[in-house]
Amino acid sequence: IRLTDEEALANRPDVQQGRLAVTAHMSLLKQSRALRLPTVSFFGSYQVQAQADDFQFGNYNWPKTSFVGLQANLPLFNGFRAKSRIQQSDLSLKQSEATLRQVQENAITENIALQNELQGAIKQARIQEKTVEAASLSYQMTHDRYQNGLSSRIELSDAELSLTMSRMNQLNATYRVLLTKLRLEQAMGVLTF
């Protein structure tokens, strides 16, 4: 399984989390920069009220009051608060970008290592398959020789042990291939636990 770097990173939760952190810090930086900008606020209120304690609502006099306002705010000096918030937000953004790059590099390295490990495991499984074939042939030859009285029971037992061990090694190699495939799928974010 060979993937491009972007395909390998597309589904990884740690990379997605890093991207979200970068996006959040970008928003905070924009918000911090906005502290320097002038603001204009509009406000208003409309109110109807009465004062009486006899609960005869139909006889009440209902005076109406309203007001509208406009407030402009021009930040001239705020004790360097805006500047320090911008610097802090900028540093946080740079830190999250560096963390994201590190996570991406680690993910790519892990994927490449697991792909290489998978190739090695597949080659080892093929070698073990050939070993089983050779051990099976050796056992068959030793068994035939034993049947004809040309070899001892010990030689037959050794051939049988060799065949059993090579089959166990083949099963271990197959297990390693399957396990490495699962680890690779997990590293690509396809399989989650």
mmCIF file of all heavy atoms in Angstrom, residues 27-62:
data_model
loop_
_atom_site.group_PDB
_atom_site.id
_atom_site.type_symbol
_atom_site.label_atom_id
_atom_site.label_comp_id
_atom_site.label_asym_id
_atom_site.label_seq_id
_atom_site.Cartn_x
_atom_site.Cartn_y
_atom_site.Cartn_z
ATOM 1 N N SER A 27 -7.859 32.458 14.088
ATOM 2 C CA SER A 27 -9.038 33.251 14.475
ATOM 3 C C SER A 27 -8.729 34.132 15.676
ATOM 4 O O SER A 27 -9.142 35.299 15.724
ATOM 5 C CB SER A 27 -10.209 32.329 14.798
ATOM 6 O OG SER A 27 -10.592 31.609 13.665
ATOM 7 N N LEU A 28 -8.005 33.599 16.650
ATOM 8 C CA LEU A 28 -7.625 34.406 17.814
ATOM 9 C C LEU A 28 -6.711 35.567 17.428
ATOM 10 O O LEU A 28 -6.823 36.672 17.982
ATOM 11 C CB LEU A 28 -6.939 33.529 18.862
ATOM 12 C CG LEU A 28 -7.844 32.601 19.666
ATOM 13 C CD1 LEU A 28 -7.015 31.685 20.564
ATOM 14 C CD2 LEU A 28 -8.821 33.405 20.498
ATOM 15 N N LEU A 29 -5.810 35.326 16.468
ATOM 16 C CA LEU A 29 -4.931 36.397 16.019
ATOM 17 C C LEU A 29 -5.740 37.496 15.326
ATOM 18 O O LEU A 29 -5.519 38.688 15.579
ATOM 19 C CB LEU A 29 -3.856 35.842 15.080
ATOM 20 C CG LEU A 29 -2.848 36.846 14.532
ATOM 21 C CD1 LEU A 29 -2.089 37.517 15.675
ATOM 22 C CD2 LEU A 29 -1.891 36.174 13.573
ATOM 23 N N LYS A 30 -6.701 37.102 14.492
ATOM 24 C CA LYS A 30 -7.556 38.105 13.837
ATOM 25 C C LYS A 30 -8.353 38.880 14.866
ATOM 26 O O LYS A 30 -8.514 40.099 14.758
ATOM 27 C CB LYS A 30 -8.494 37.418 12.846
ATOM 28 C CG LYS A 30 -7.821 36.933 11.591
ATOM 29 C CD LYS A 30 -8.814 36.236 10.675
ATOM 30 C CE LYS A 30 -8.101 35.644 9.467
ATOM 31 N NZ LYS A 30 -9.038 34.891 8.595
ATOM 32 N N GLN A 31 -8.854 38.176 15.867
ATOM 33 C CA GLN A 31 -9.622 38.816 16.928
ATOM 34 C C GLN A 31 -8.734 39.792 17.710
ATOM 35 O O GLN A 31 -9.157 40.899 18.048
ATOM 36 C CB GLN A 31 -10.197 37.751 17.855
ATOM 37 C CG GLN A 31 -11.088 38.275 18.931
ATOM 38 C CD GLN A 31 -11.597 37.158 19.826
ATOM 39 O OE1 GLN A 31 -11.042 36.068 19.846
ATOM 40 N NE2 GLN A 31 -12.640 37.445 20.569
ATOM 41 N N SER A 32 -7.504 39.405 17.971
ATOM 42 C CA SER A 32 -6.584 40.292 18.705
ATOM 43 C C SER A 32 -6.238 41.519 17.879
ATOM 44 O O SER A 32 -6.142 42.628 18.415
ATOM 45 C CB SER A 32 -5.304 39.535 19.067
ATOM 46 O OG SER A 32 -5.593 38.461 19.916
ATOM 47 N N ARG A 33 -6.059 41.349 16.582
ATOM 48 C CA ARG A 33 -5.767 42.497 15.715
ATOM 49 C C ARG A 33 -6.954 43.443 15.632
ATOM 50 O O ARG A 33 -6.786 44.646 15.437
ATOM 51 C CB ARG A 33 -5.364 42.015 14.329
ATOM 52 C CG ARG A 33 -3.984 41.419 14.300
ATOM 53 C CD ARG A 33 -3.578 40.996 12.916
ATOM 54 N NE ARG A 33 -2.212 40.479 12.924
ATOM 55 C CZ ARG A 33 -1.737 39.671 12.016
ATOM 56 N NH1 ARG A 33 -2.479 39.272 11.009
ATOM 57 N NH2 ARG A 33 -0.484 39.247 12.100
ATOM 58 N N ALA A 34 -8.146 42.889 15.761
ATOM 59 C CA ALA A 34 -9.347 43.724 15.692
ATOM 60 C C ALA A 34 -9.459 44.658 16.893
ATOM 61 O O ALA A 34 -10.206 45.642 16.836
ATOM 62 C CB ALA A 34 -10.583 42.839 15.593
ATOM 63 N N LEU A 35 -8.722 44.397 17.977
ATOM 64 C CA LEU A 35 -8.758 45.291 19.140
ATOM 65 C C LEU A 35 -8.217 46.676 18.810
ATOM 66 O O LEU A 35 -8.530 47.651 19.504
ATOM 67 C CB LEU A 35 -7.948 44.687 20.295
ATOM 68 C CG LEU A 35 -8.526 43.455 20.967
ATOM 69 C CD1 LEU A 35 -7.539 42.903 21.993
ATOM 70 C CD2 LEU A 35 -9.853 43.774 21.628
ATOM 71 N N ARG A 36 -7.400 46.793 17.779
ATOM 72 C CA ARG A 36 -6.834 48.084 17.387
ATOM 73 C C ARG A 36 -7.801 48.922 16.558
ATOM 74 O O ARG A 36 -7.599 50.109 16.401
ATOM 75 C CB ARG A 36 -5.577 47.876 16.549
ATOM 76 C CG ARG A 36 -4.405 47.366 17.285
ATOM 77 C CD ARG A 36 -3.217 47.502 16.370
ATOM 78 N NE ARG A 36 -2.138 46.625 16.747
ATOM 79 C CZ ARG A 36 -1.083 46.416 16.009
ATOM 80 N NH1 ARG A 36 -0.965 46.993 14.844
ATOM 81 N NH2 ARG A 36 -0.122 45.621 16.419
ATOM 82 N N LEU A 37 -8.817 48.285 15.992
ATOM 83 C CA LEU A 37 -9.719 48.985 15.086
ATOM 84 C C LEU A 37 -10.772 49.763 15.858
ATOM 85 O O LEU A 37 -11.198 49.363 16.940
ATOM 86 C CB LEU A 37 -10.409 47.967 14.169
ATOM 87 C CG LEU A 37 -9.484 47.116 13.307
ATOM 88 C CD1 LEU A 37 -10.288 46.085 12.543
ATOM 89 C CD2 LEU A 37 -8.689 47.992 12.352
ATOM 90 N N PRO A 38 -11.208 50.880 15.284
ATOM 91 C CA PRO A 38 -12.294 51.621 15.931
ATOM 92 C C PRO A 38 -13.597 50.821 15.833
ATOM 93 O O PRO A 38 -13.798 50.027 14.921
ATOM 94 C CB PRO A 38 -12.389 52.916 15.114
ATOM 95 C CG PRO A 38 -11.567 52.732 13.911
ATOM 96 C CD PRO A 38 -10.692 51.534 14.106
ATOM 97 N N THR A 39 -14.466 51.044 16.791
ATOM 98 C CA THR A 39 -15.751 50.348 16.816
ATOM 99 C C THR A 39 -16.879 51.367 16.870
ATOM 100 O O THR A 39 -16.735 52.453 17.437
ATOM 101 C CB THR A 39 -15.861 49.413 18.030
ATOM 102 O OG1 THR A 39 -15.705 50.170 19.219
ATOM 103 C CG2 THR A 39 -14.829 48.308 17.972
ATOM 104 N N VAL A 40 -17.985 51.001 16.274
ATOM 105 C CA VAL A 40 -19.191 51.819 16.303
ATOM 106 C C VAL A 40 -20.313 50.922 16.792
ATOM 107 O O VAL A 40 -20.497 49.820 16.274
ATOM 108 C CB VAL A 40 -19.521 52.391 14.910
ATOM 109 C CG1 VAL A 40 -20.832 53.160 14.937
ATOM 110 C CG2 VAL A 40 -18.404 53.262 14.407
ATOM 111 N N SER A 41 -21.048 51.388 17.785
ATOM 112 C CA SER A 41 -22.144 50.607 18.344
ATOM 113 C C SER A 41 -23.433 51.409 18.240
ATOM 114 O O SER A 41 -23.458 52.595 18.572
ATOM 115 C CB SER A 41 -21.881 50.275 19.810
ATOM 116 O OG SER A 41 -20.677 49.577 19.960
ATOM 117 N N PHE A 42 -24.478 50.758 17.796
ATOM 118 C CA PHE A 42 -25.803 51.355 17.796
ATOM 119 C C PHE A 42 -26.603 50.669 18.884
ATOM 120 O O PHE A 42 -26.503 49.461 19.066
ATOM 121 C CB PHE A 42 -26.501 51.123 16.440
ATOM 122 C CG PHE A 42 -25.837 51.831 15.299
ATOM 123 C CD1 PHE A 42 -24.976 51.163 14.451
ATOM 124 C CD2 PHE A 42 -26.096 53.178 15.077
ATOM 125 C CE1 PHE A 42 -24.375 51.818 13.403
ATOM 126 C CE2 PHE A 42 -25.485 53.839 14.023
ATOM 127 C CZ PHE A 42 -24.618 53.158 13.184
ATOM 128 N N PHE A 43 -27.410 51.434 19.583
ATOM 129 C CA PHE A 43 -28.247 50.836 20.616
ATOM 130 C C PHE A 43 -29.544 51.610 20.690
ATOM 131 O O PHE A 43 -29.642 52.752 20.247
ATOM 132 C CB PHE A 43 -27.539 50.794 21.970
ATOM 133 C CG PHE A 43 -27.027 52.123 22.437
ATOM 134 C CD1 PHE A 43 -27.839 52.944 23.210
ATOM 135 C CD2 PHE A 43 -25.752 52.560 22.100
ATOM 136 C CE1 PHE A 43 -27.371 54.169 23.642
ATOM 137 C CE2 PHE A 43 -25.292 53.789 22.525
ATOM 138 C CZ PHE A 43 -26.098 54.600 23.303
ATOM 139 N N GLY A 44 -30.539 50.945 21.223
ATOM 140 C CA GLY A 44 -31.839 51.596 21.357
ATOM 141 C C GLY A 44 -32.719 50.803 22.295
ATOM 142 O O GLY A 44 -32.460 49.642 22.596
ATOM 143 N N SER A 45 -33.780 51.470 22.729
ATOM 144 C CA SER A 45 -34.707 50.820 23.636
ATOM 145 C C SER A 45 -36.081 51.453 23.454
ATOM 146 O O SER A 45 -36.212 52.669 23.221
ATOM 147 C CB SER A 45 -34.232 51.000 25.081
ATOM 148 O OG SER A 45 -35.183 50.472 25.971
ATOM 149 N N TYR A 46 -37.102 50.615 23.570
ATOM 150 C CA TYR A 46 -38.481 51.080 23.551
ATOM 151 C C TYR A 46 -39.161 50.413 24.723
ATOM 152 O O TYR A 46 -39.068 49.197 24.884
ATOM 153 C CB TYR A 46 -39.157 50.693 22.231
ATOM 154 C CG TYR A 46 -40.593 51.151 22.142
ATOM 155 C CD1 TYR A 46 -40.891 52.482 21.874
ATOM 156 C CD2 TYR A 46 -41.625 50.265 22.336
ATOM 157 C CE1 TYR A 46 -42.201 52.908 21.799
ATOM 158 C CE2 TYR A 46 -42.940 50.680 22.270
ATOM 159 C CZ TYR A 46 -43.226 52.005 21.996
ATOM 160 O OH TYR A 46 -44.525 52.433 21.933
ATOM 161 N N GLN A 47 -39.873 51.216 25.541
ATOM 162 C CA GLN A 47 -40.419 50.673 26.777
ATOM 163 C C GLN A 47 -41.812 51.237 27.016
ATOM 164 O O GLN A 47 -42.067 52.423 26.811
ATOM 165 C CB GLN A 47 -39.478 51.061 27.926
ATOM 166 C CG GLN A 47 -39.743 50.385 29.204
ATOM 167 C CD GLN A 47 -38.652 50.756 30.209
ATOM 168 O OE1 GLN A 47 -38.153 51.874 30.215
ATOM 169 N NE2 GLN A 47 -38.308 49.809 31.060
ATOM 170 N N VAL A 48 -42.705 50.360 27.468
ATOM 171 C CA VAL A 48 -44.038 50.751 27.875
ATOM 172 C C VAL A 48 -44.180 50.318 29.329
ATOM 173 O O VAL A 48 -43.913 49.161 29.656
ATOM 174 C CB VAL A 48 -45.113 50.056 26.993
ATOM 175 C CG1 VAL A 48 -46.505 50.432 27.465
ATOM 176 C CG2 VAL A 48 -44.914 50.403 25.541
ATOM 177 N N GLN A 49 -44.640 51.254 30.204
ATOM 178 C CA GLN A 49 -44.733 50.906 31.619
ATOM 179 C C GLN A 49 -45.879 51.656 32.283
ATOM 180 O O GLN A 49 -46.323 52.677 31.798
ATOM 181 C CB GLN A 49 -43.425 51.198 32.332
ATOM 182 C CG GLN A 49 -43.042 52.655 32.336
ATOM 183 C CD GLN A 49 -41.679 52.890 32.965
ATOM 184 O OE1 GLN A 49 -41.005 51.946 33.332
ATOM 185 N NE2 GLN A 49 -41.305 54.143 33.107
ATOM 186 N N ALA A 50 -46.314 51.107 33.375
ATOM 187 C CA ALA A 50 -47.360 51.769 34.166
ATOM 188 C C ALA A 50 -47.078 51.491 35.627
ATOM 189 O O ALA A 50 -46.461 50.485 35.973
ATOM 190 C CB ALA A 50 -48.733 51.246 33.775
ATOM 191 N N GLN A 51 -47.602 52.405 36.483
ATOM 192 C CA GLN A 51 -47.420 52.218 37.914
ATOM 193 C C GLN A 51 -48.784 52.314 38.593
ATOM 194 O O GLN A 51 -49.402 53.366 38.606
ATOM 195 C CB GLN A 51 -46.484 53.278 38.485
ATOM 196 C CG GLN A 51 -45.074 53.150 37.995
ATOM 197 C CD GLN A 51 -44.165 54.208 38.610
ATOM 198 O OE1 GLN A 51 -44.614 55.147 39.249
ATOM 199 N NE2 GLN A 51 -42.877 54.025 38.413
ATOM 200 N N ALA A 52 -49.214 51.201 39.099
ATOM 201 C CA ALA A 52 -50.478 51.166 39.852
ATOM 202 C C ALA A 52 -50.499 49.876 40.639
ATOM 203 O O ALA A 52 -49.822 48.920 40.302
ATOM 204 C CB ALA A 52 -51.667 51.249 38.918
ATOM 205 N N ASP A 53 -51.287 49.839 41.692
ATOM 206 C CA ASP A 53 -51.322 48.626 42.502
ATOM 207 C C ASP A 53 -52.726 48.054 42.632
ATOM 208 O O ASP A 53 -53.009 47.258 43.517
ATOM 209 C CB ASP A 53 -50.718 48.881 43.877
ATOM 210 C CG ASP A 53 -51.407 50.000 44.614
ATOM 211 O OD1 ASP A 53 -52.354 50.585 44.062
ATOM 212 O OD2 ASP A 53 -50.974 50.279 45.740
ATOM 213 N N ASP A 54 -53.644 48.430 41.743
ATOM 214 C CA ASP A 54 -55.004 47.927 41.841
ATOM 215 C C ASP A 54 -55.320 46.835 40.820
ATOM 216 O O ASP A 54 -56.436 46.327 40.789
ATOM 217 C CB ASP A 54 -56.008 49.076 41.721
ATOM 218 C CG ASP A 54 -55.872 49.822 40.416
ATOM 219 O OD1 ASP A 54 -55.017 49.440 39.584
ATOM 220 O OD2 ASP A 54 -56.625 50.786 40.218
ATOM 221 N N PHE A 55 -54.449 46.485 39.981
ATOM 222 C CA PHE A 55 -54.570 45.421 38.988
ATOM 223 C C PHE A 55 -55.764 45.621 38.048
ATOM 224 O O PHE A 55 -56.364 44.670 37.571
ATOM 225 C CB PHE A 55 -54.649 44.018 39.641
ATOM 226 C CG PHE A 55 -53.414 43.655 40.389
ATOM 227 C CD1 PHE A 55 -53.418 43.630 41.775
ATOM 228 C CD2 PHE A 55 -52.242 43.343 39.708
ATOM 229 C CE1 PHE A 55 -52.284 43.302 42.479
ATOM 230 C CE2 PHE A 55 -51.104 43.016 40.412
ATOM 231 C CZ PHE A 55 -51.106 42.999 41.800
ATOM 232 N N GLN A 56 -56.083 46.835 37.764
ATOM 233 C CA GLN A 56 -57.112 47.144 36.763
ATOM 234 C C GLN A 56 -56.380 47.667 35.532
ATOM 235 O O GLN A 56 -56.273 48.869 35.303
ATOM 236 C CB GLN A 56 -58.105 48.166 37.307
ATOM 237 C CG GLN A 56 -58.905 47.630 38.473
ATOM 238 C CD GLN A 56 -59.849 48.664 39.039
ATOM 239 O OE1 GLN A 56 -59.910 49.796 38.553
ATOM 240 N NE2 GLN A 56 -60.584 48.286 40.073
ATOM 241 N N PHE A 57 -55.939 46.769 34.748
ATOM 242 C CA PHE A 57 -55.045 47.087 33.632
ATOM 243 C C PHE A 57 -55.713 47.970 32.585
ATOM 244 O O PHE A 57 -55.054 48.754 31.923
ATOM 245 C CB PHE A 57 -54.524 45.802 32.990
ATOM 246 C CG PHE A 57 -53.699 44.952 33.916
ATOM 247 C CD1 PHE A 57 -54.159 43.726 34.367
ATOM 248 C CD2 PHE A 57 -52.464 45.398 34.342
ATOM 249 C CE1 PHE A 57 -53.403 42.952 35.223
ATOM 250 C CE2 PHE A 57 -51.703 44.618 35.204
ATOM 251 C CZ PHE A 57 -52.174 43.397 35.655
ATOM 252 N N GLY A 58 -56.969 47.838 32.413
ATOM 253 C CA GLY A 58 -57.657 48.644 31.404
ATOM 254 C C GLY A 58 -57.682 50.122 31.744
ATOM 255 O O GLY A 58 -57.796 50.964 30.855
ATOM 256 N N ASN A 59 -57.575 50.471 33.019
ATOM 257 C CA ASN A 59 -57.636 51.874 33.436
ATOM 258 C C ASN A 59 -56.252 52.521 33.574
ATOM 259 O O ASN A 59 -56.159 53.689 33.930
ATOM 260 C CB ASN A 59 -58.365 51.996 34.780
ATOM 261 C CG ASN A 59 -59.807 51.562 34.688
ATOM 262 O OD1 ASN A 59 -60.403 51.648 33.618
ATOM 263 N ND2 ASN A 59 -60.373 51.088 35.793
ATOM 264 N N TYR A 60 -55.232 51.784 33.310
ATOM 265 C CA TYR A 60 -53.875 52.325 33.493
ATOM 266 C C TYR A 60 -53.540 53.318 32.400
ATOM 267 O O TYR A 60 -53.992 53.209 31.265
ATOM 268 C CB TYR A 60 -52.839 51.205 33.459
ATOM 269 C CG TYR A 60 -52.801 50.317 34.681
ATOM 270 C CD1 TYR A 60 -51.904 49.264 34.746
ATOM 271 C CD2 TYR A 60 -53.635 50.520 35.769
ATOM 272 C CE1 TYR A 60 -51.853 48.427 35.842
ATOM 273 C CE2 TYR A 60 -53.587 49.687 36.870
ATOM 274 C CZ TYR A 60 -52.695 48.645 36.899
ATOM 275 O OH TYR A 60 -52.655 47.830 37.991
ATOM 276 N N ASN A 61 -52.695 54.232 32.760
ATOM 277 C CA ASN A 61 -52.083 55.117 31.787
ATOM 278 C C ASN A 61 -50.735 54.501 31.398
ATOM 279 O O ASN A 61 -49.896 54.261 32.266
ATOM 280 C CB ASN A 61 -51.901 56.512 32.410
ATOM 281 C CG ASN A 61 -51.342 57.497 31.410
ATOM 282 O OD1 ASN A 61 -51.390 57.259 30.216
ATOM 283 N ND2 ASN A 61 -50.836 58.605 31.913
ATOM 284 N N TRP A 62 -50.521 54.242 30.142
ATOM 285 C CA TRP A 62 -49.319 53.527 29.670
ATOM 286 C C TRP A 62 -48.392 54.510 28.947
ATOM 287 O O TRP A 62 -48.440 54.638 27.730
ATOM 288 C CB TRP A 62 -49.702 52.395 28.718
ATOM 289 C CG TRP A 62 -50.544 51.337 29.331
ATOM 290 C CD1 TRP A 62 -51.894 51.295 29.388
ATOM 291 C CD2 TRP A 62 -50.075 50.183 29.991
ATOM 292 N NE1 TRP A 62 -52.325 50.174 30.049
ATOM 293 C CE2 TRP A 62 -51.199 49.471 30.433
ATOM 294 C CE3 TRP A 62 -48.818 49.670 30.292
ATOM 295 C CZ2 TRP A 62 -51.122 48.284 31.143
ATOM 296 C CZ3 TRP A 62 -48.755 48.485 30.986
ATOM 297 C CH2 TRP A 62 -49.887 47.800 31.415
#
